[in-house]
Amino acid sequence: MKKNIAFMLIALLLCAPAASYAAQEVNVYNWEDYIADDVLALFEQETGIRVNYMRFTTNEDMLVQVRADPTNYDVIFPSDYIIERLISEDLLDTLDYENIPNAANLMDWLKAPSYDPAGEHSVPYMWGTVGILYNTSMVSEPVDSWAVLWDTAYENNVFMMDSIRDTIGVAMKLLGYSINERSQEALDLVKDKLIEQKRAGIVKAYQVDETKDKMIAGEAALAVMWSGDAAYAMSYNEDLAYVVPKEGSNVWVDGMCIPKGARNKENAERFIDFLCRPDIALINFEEIWYSTPNAGTVAMLDEETLADETIFPTDETIARCEFFKDIAADIQRYNRVWLAVKSAR
Amino acid sequence: MSVRRGNGPGLRRSMFAAPYGLWMLIFTMAPIFIIVFYAFTIGGKPTLENFKLFLEPEFVGILTFSLWLAFLCTVICLVFGYPTALFLASRDLKRSAMMAVLFVIPMWMNFLLRTYAWMSLLEDTGLINRFLTFIGVGRKKLMYTENAVLFGLVYNFLPFMIFPIYSVLKRSDLHLEEAAQDLGANGWQVFLKVTLPLSLPGVVSGVSMVFMPAVTTFVIPRLLGGGSFMMFGDLIENQFLTTGDWNFGSALSLIMMALILISLGFLNNANPEGEEGALW
């Protein structure tokens, strides 16, 4: 009897994964608030493939999870510099464009980006900038410089990003460095600058996903923000405005990639192809307000939307922005600066 | 079939412990060994570098801040929790069981949900500030402060102080207090010489049940402190999730465990009867 029970238990254990393999599925690991729910439902309806949807808040969080076990995920959405990192660590599979015909809809300038020159590991999903979202009813002066975030007139009125590269990047730009600067001298200056800002009581909080709702509610005057979140917030509160400061900033692309050893590569490619379909990309665009890299979708937009510089920055703005580059092992030195800032009191 | 105590065939007492023993082995012992391995190595080579790194001022600073905040939280919980437990356990309180349940009910809600609720109460445009503005006091900075973090900790951990003390008091022998009164002790003397010493086991387990989660917490300070008050739990999380430095993260976890073990040992020594509190 005992043996029978043990046997049944083992059989049960074996059945559970087998059952889930039998059904078609795709494991998607994407940013928080970064897709329209309708799109997932439509994909499931059209293909019969079940989407297991998981979320992350920063690139660094995602990278650690993917490194721990790349086979857990079929489609991931890393940014440019993380794609570079993943390629150099040989963690990304090559995409078969035969299965992603809709990728032809992409804008030309994104077909062979610097972080993935052959374009064989990633398909751009969204792109945007980092800038300042501010409340015009609380800020009367024109905002055009990162320096406004150090103005003590806005004590307890600034949200910074709880994201290592973005926040250090802001301070680097203010001090006249590239956002990819790695010298210890620059890092020390950045550390002092960010601690000065925190000790002066200007920073209200370091956070990421909560900021847009707080800005809509008028919780703070200024916030460092990604352009899409800014456009989303502006659609709910007319007092909000977005600017990419004159010192320059970060322009970024989030791609769709398939980790090496993904269990459902075919489904992953179908999913990526689905998101590249102009009508589907339009549903996403209208929900999350990031700039779409899809020329087919752009063709469907009206004049007013296309003229919105938050969503579609001018060439002049893009010219003063740079991509993040992978800083490899120097991330440890960055992190020391970051911890010093976060724990300063 | 009866349970035999001898070594003969059939059910033996030690067999009852087997399921939990196996559980411990797989889910407690094995992870600890893995943590120890990571903590004392870098890239598989044995080293003490991870512990040396910890001695840098910013890391020690984060630890002392966490210990200080957890200490404050424990003291406040004790100050509020002990009288509450006394009240709940008093013999002449009608429906004391129902009162006790009322204290537990908030805990049925997830603590994240409760913390988010506090956020919408405390923020600048939140309910409390709207009320303060309405009555003419004006906005106060309630959220994203050290006090907000402390408040969040006390709010979440207070029941863990009340219940161990409550259950010890509830079980204590009423006749001892009556005897003290018969022998001429006044109310304060009864409390100081009889009730308080008898309740110490409950206090000890209450203190450890509040202090330990408070010192390792990481979500509450992030939400109510707006990421500006880094605690030791945040630091460990940062090592595992942001930098992916499992070696240093494991060393930090070991340091944390050692500190908890030391404080537990200290607490057990402070417990005069050696009697365990109700929940430990």
Side-chain angles (χ1 to χ4, degrees):
Chain A
M1 187 60 195
K2 212 155 115 193
K3 259 187 194 157
N4 279 344
I5 291 174
F7 184 77
M8 276 164 65
L9 277 174
I10 292 168
L12 264 177
L13 280 173
L14 289 175
C15 278
S20 58
Y21 275 122
Q24 288 283 321
E25 61 177 6
V26 60
N27 301 308
V28 178
Y29 195 31
N30 194 2
W31 296 75
E32 199 74 53
D33 298 337
Y34 211 34
I35 202 163
D37 291 338
D38 297 349
V39 167
L40 296 178
L42 277 172
F43 178 76
E44 290 186 334
Q45 257 176 35
E46 279 191 24
T47 62
I49 298 170
R50 197 160 56 91
V51 180
N52 300 321
Y53 194 73
M54 295 158 276
R55 302 167 175 86
F56 59 87
T57 294
T58 68
N59 269 307
E60 286 72 20
D61 295 352
M62 180 268 301
L63 181 62
V64 169
Q65 295 297 328
V66 171
R67 268 192 198 133
D69 189 0
T71 62
N72 275 345
Y73 311 102
D74 300 317
V75 185
I76 55 175
F77 290 69
S79 300
D80 34 59
Y81 69 104
I82 297 291
I83 294 176
E84 207 181 327
R85 178 99 285 240
L86 288 165
I87 293 173
S88 73
E89 290 182 19
D90 197 26
L91 285 171
L92 293 184
D93 213 338
T94 322
L95 302 174
D96 184 355
Y97 278 93
E98 296 268 299
N99 298 329
I100 315 174
N102 280 311
N105 291 313
L106 291 173
M107 295 171 176
D108 289 332
W109 71 281
L110 285 167
K111 278 182 179 159
S114 61
Y115 54 85
D116 181 15
E120 57 185 358
H121 296 289
S122 66
V123 177
Y125 176 59
M126 294 280 167
W127 64 282
T129 54
V130 174
I132 300 174
L133 180 74
Y134 61 102
N135 192 320
T136 51
S137 71
M138 297 156 95
V139 182
S140 46
E141 59 188 315
V143 174
D144 68 344
S145 163
W146 292 117
V148 71
L149 302 176
W150 271 261
D151 186 341
T152 46
Y154 301 109
E155 189 185 332
N156 192 28
N157 243 330
V158 171
F159 284 125
M160 293 297 284
M161 253 194 225
D162 193 4
S163 172
I164 178 167
R165 289 294 304 267
D166 292 291
T167 299
I168 290 180
V170 165
M172 285 286 183
K173 274 290 168 197
L174 176 67
L175 294 168
Y177 292 101
S178 154
I179 53 173
N180 297 306
E181 177 68 40
R182 306 190 202 182
S183 72
Q184 194 56 45
E185 183 200 359
L187 276 171
D188 287 340
L189 287 172
V190 160
K191 179 167 91 179
D192 293 344
K193 199 78 189 159
L194 288 171
I195 290 179
E196 172 200 323
Q197 182 200 28
K198 186 177 180 186
R199 291 220 171 111
I202 297 166
V203 181
K204 199 179 183 88
Y206 299 88
Q207 55 191 12
V208 179
D209 299 314
E210 296 91 344
T211 306
K212 52 183 178 296
D213 291 325
K214 303 248 181 241
M215 288 303 287
I216 294 169
E219 272 284 305
L222 303 136
V224 178
M225 229 186 217
W226 293 312
S227 52
D229 281 358
Y232 171 89
M234 286 157 72
S235 73
Y236 282 91
N237 184 338
E238 287 185 352
D239 291 336
L240 296 176
Y242 177 80
V243 65
V244 176
K246 62 183 181 207
E247 294 92 349
S249 183
N250 165 228
V251 59
W252 48 263
V253 177
D254 291 337
M256 298 178 274
C257 307
I258 302 180
K260 267 217 169 118
R263 296 199 191 106
N264 308 289
K265 186 168 187 240
E266 259 173 51
N267 295 348
E269 284 171 340
R270 273 183 89 173
F271 187 76
I272 293 173
D273 185 55
F274 188 75
L275 292 186
C276 289
R277 227 170 73 187
D279 58 323
I280 298 299
L282 182 68
I283 301 177
N284 267 334
F285 171 78
E286 288 180 340
E287 173 92 14
I288 63 175
W289 297 111
Y290 280 97
S291 321
T292 175
N294 197 310
T297 307
V298 170
M300 297 180 194
L301 298 174
D302 57 40
E303 289 287 314
E304 196 194 343
T305 313
L306 289 171
D308 187 334
E309 288 186 14
T310 301
I311 304 171
F312 295 104
T314 61
D315 291 345
E316 184 198 359
T317 304
I318 294 175
R320 29 173 221 273
C321 294
E322 45 182 339
F323 277 117
F324 276 130
K325 292 209 168 63
D326 176 30
I327 54 171
D330 286 329
I331 187 72
Q332 297 290 358
R333 289 194 297 124
Y334 261 61
N335 196 48
R336 289 294 291 280
V337 169
W338 185 231
L339 287 176
V341 171
K342 290 292 295 294
S343 63
R345 284 193 305 283
Chain B
M1 190 186 292
S2 69
V3 178
R4 292 183 208 173
R5 297 226 170 110
N7 289 330
L11 281 175
R12 264 178 286 154
R13 215 178 346 181
S14 60
M15 286 172 67
F16 298 141
Y20 186 67
L22 190 69
W23 179 272
M24 278 267 288
L25 198 68
I26 299 174
F27 296 110
T28 310
M29 297 312 289
I32 287 179
F33 279 118
I34 295 171
I35 287 175
V36 170
F37 174 78
Y38 272 111
F40 287 98
T41 57
I42 289 179
K45 292 189 197 75
T47 172
L48 287 175
E49 278 304 310
N50 298 316
F51 292 91
K52 247 187 243 164
L53 183 58
F54 169 72
L55 297 177
E56 297 284 331
E58 65 246 41
F59 300 127
V60 177
I62 292 170
L63 178 65
T64 45
F65 176 68
S66 295
L67 290 173
W68 171 241
L69 215 57
F71 170 76
L72 284 180
C73 166
T74 312
V75 169
I76 296 173
C77 283
L78 190 59
V79 167
F80 283 95
Y82 197 93
T84 312
L86 269 181
F87 168 75
L88 283 177
S90 54
R91 265 43 178 208
D92 48 353
L93 179 68
K94 286 190 181 121
R95 301 174 192 278
S96 70
M98 203 184 89
M99 298 282 283
V101 168
L102 284 179
F103 273 85
V104 187
I105 283 177
M107 292 171 70
W108 293 351
M109 256 185 297
N110 183 286
F111 81 100
L112 267 183
L113 206 62
R114 283 181 278 142
T115 308
Y116 271 109
W118 274 112
M119 285 174 74
S120 57
L121 287 175
L122 293 175
E123 61 191 10
D124 281 4
T125 51
L127 276 180
I128 295 175
N129 265 320
R130 260 186 261 166
F131 176 73
L132 289 178
T133 314
F134 177 72
I135 60 169
V137 179
R139 271 188 190 180
K140 294 265 179 284
K141 187 186 177 184
L142 299 173
M143 205 156 88
Y144 306 127
T145 61
E146 200 175 311
N147 286 337
V149 177
L150 187 57
F151 178 80
L153 295 180
V154 170
Y155 174 77
N156 275 298
F157 299 134
L158 187 58
F160 295 99
M161 182 65 85
I162 296 178
F163 282 99
I165 302 177
Y166 162 75
S167 60
V168 168
L169 285 172
K170 195 82 187 165
R171 281 185 323 189
S172 67
D173 193 347
L174 188 63
H175 298 114
L176 291 172
E177 287 177 21
E178 284 170 358
Q181 274 164 352
D182 288 348
L183 293 169
N186 65 29
W188 277 109
Q189 281 169 325
V190 171
F191 175 72
L192 286 176
K193 302 215 159 164
V194 180
T195 315
L196 185 64
L198 281 176
S199 67
L200 272 187
V203 173
V204 167
S205 64
V207 165
S208 47
M209 289 193 65
V210 170
F211 185 77
M212 283 194 293
V215 84
T216 49
T217 185
F218 63 93
V219 181
I220 298 168
R222 179 172 323 147
L223 293 178
L224 291 174
S228 302
F229 302 93
M230 189 165 234
M231 291 188 66
F232 207 65
D234 294 294
L235 179 61
I236 295 175
E237 193 216 14
N238 169 277
Q239 294 307 314
F240 281 95
L241 294 188
T242 306
T243 40
D245 188 347
W246 289 24
N247 303 98
F248 187 46
S250 300
L252 292 171
S253 312
L254 268 192
I255 291 167
M256 177 103 269
M257 278 193 258
L259 278 171
I260 288 176
L261 276 179
I262 291 168
S263 48
L264 270 185
F266 174 74
L267 279 171
N268 281 339
N269 280 339
N271 183 353
E273 305 285 309
E275 186 188 336
E276 285 298 307
L279 291 171
W280 279 88

